[in-house]
Amino acid sequence: MSHKAQPIGVFDSGIGGMTVVRALMERSPFENIIYFGDTARTPYGVKSAETINHYSEEITRFLLNFDVKLLIIACNTMAAVAYETVKALSSVPVLEVIDAGARMAAQATRKKQVGVIGTPATVNSNVYARAIHRHDPSIRVFSQACPLFVPLVEEGWLDHQVTRLTAQEYMKPVLAEHIDTLVLGCTHYPLIKPLLQAVVGEEVFLVDSAEAMADITANLLTEMDLGNPQQSPPEYRFYVTDVPYRFQTIGERFLGRSIANINLAKL
Ligand code: DGL
């Protein structure tokens, strides 16, 4: 296989990272992709940094065996806590969702007041604020952990009264700071984008880190002359550590298309 035809390895704590795969498929339609979701051990967002680092190390080793040309950490929680671990192990470039979202937020904010929502592990790490400040230190960042969103999205309650009430509650302190930009700092949140937009109001710009990630990947592939030029249909392979009940339904909702080639991974 030529270097350019080698797959991109994308990984997540479960199936949420498929929002990133979906954006990648749309933005870079000729790329071969291997997706890894740790469905047996998800969620990571409520676990300790030590455990998240240990799991991330195992997944990185697993994907490097496939001779990937690029690794993408689709999970905000892993990117926040274990980026250095993954980078130290990897022989290929590593991209992650946080810098992608931070860059977009810094460019978008006019009032220099940015909100960030994510899992408790992501918010506690303060990584988004640091990443945004690297682009513009004068921006004020207000973070809010939203642990209930992950189960609500997986339940499929994307336009449900319970999700709306939960969002209104979580958004209260962030909106009190008069933000004009809100970073959706978790794989699951792009699925409730319309609901969140209605709760925060049309004047707040929502940063979808999956889309930001897809743009940055496409640019890097061009820069490094690593894009797959082949016009034949790309190959998509999915590895998961467990195939839970309703996996297909939930996975297809995240991906926006049907999923084939699901394999059980042994780490
Ligand atoms: N993938 C995680 C993230 O983006 C959400 C699910 C989890 O907590 O594992 O933060």
Side-chain angles (χ1 to χ4, degrees):
M1 206 191 287
S2 88
H3 206 52
K4 294 180 179 181
Q6 282 166 232
I8 298 175
V10 183
F11 61 101
D12 179 51
S13 56
I15 49 179
M18 293 221 205
T19 51
V20 174
V21 173
R22 178 182 189 156
L24 275 176
M25 286 170 168
E26 281 164 15
R27 188 73 170 73
S28 304
F30 304 127
E31 295 302 326
N32 297 310
I33 298 174
I34 296 190
Y35 179 81
F36 182 96
D38 197 359
T39 44
R41 303 189 291 198
T42 199
Y44 282 15
V46 286
K47 291 191 168 68
S48 70
E50 199 187 359
T51 300
I52 297 165
N53 269 283
H54 172 60
Y55 291 172
S56 305
E57 196 176 321
E58 289 181 337
I59 298 169
T60 306
R61 289 190 200 284
F62 179 87
L63 281 174
L64 287 175
N65 283 332
F66 290 91
D67 212 14
V68 291
K69 63 179 175 186
L70 178 68
L71 276 178
I72 296 181
I73 312 178
C75 177
N76 288 258
T77 300
M78 275 198 262
V81 176
Y83 172 66
E84 294 301 333
T85 303
V86 176
K87 203 165 174 297
L89 271 176
S90 178
S91 44
V92 296
V94 180
L95 291 177
E96 46 85 23
V97 275
I98 292 181
D99 190 56
R103 204 183 298 184
M104 200 184 239
Q107 284 163 358
T109 183
R110 294 286 159 260
K111 294 201 278 184
K112 295 189 185 283
Q113 303 273 93
V114 173
V116 174
I117 52 175
T119 65
T122 299
V123 167
N124 291 339
S125 75
N126 214 25
V127 165
Y128 263 110
R130 286 207 297 275
I132 292 170
H133 288 151
R134 268 201 301 277
H135 294 284
D136 183 346
S138 68
I139 295 174
R140 297 188 66 206
V141 181
F142 307 94
S143 306
Q144 173 70 45
C146 306
L148 291 173
F149 282 164
V150 166
L152 287 168
V153 167
E154 294 200 359
E155 190 58 35
W157 289 6
L158 309 182
D159 185 27
H160 191 286
Q161 190 57 8
V162 171
T163 313
R164 194 164 300 109
L165 286 172
T166 308
Q168 280 164 355
E169 207 54 42
Y170 280 146
M171 289 310 126
K172 258 184 217 161
V174 196
L175 288 176
E177 303 294 346
H178 306 290
I179 56 157
D180 67 355
T181 304
L182 179 69
V183 180
L184 310 184
C186 174
T187 48
H188 288 55
Y189 303 172
L191 277 101
I192 49 168
K193 207 170 162 183
L195 180 145
L196 288 171
Q197 189 77 69
V199 169
V200 298
E202 286 302 324
E203 56 292 343
V204 175
F205 177 72
L206 299 186
V207 174
D208 181 337
S209 45
E211 280 173 12
M213 187 72 256
D215 283 345
I216 286 180
T217 306
N219 293 341
L220 184 81
L221 290 174
T222 311
E223 233 170 71
M224 297 180 70
D225 194 23
L226 262 185
N228 189 12
Q230 207 182 325
Q231 309 270 323
S232 62
E235 194 192 352
Y236 300 134
R237 264 188 285 167
F238 300 90
Y239 285 89
V240 288
T241 43
D242 185 32
V243 184
Y245 171 65
R246 291 196 312 148
F247 176 79
Q248 195 86 15
T249 342
I250 303 174
E252 289 177 355
R253 185 181 305 136
F254 274 89
L255 197 61
R257 61 171 91 185
S258 59
I259 309 177
N261 209 346
I262 300 168
N263 306 275
L264 204 55
K266 286 259 170 293
L267 287 177

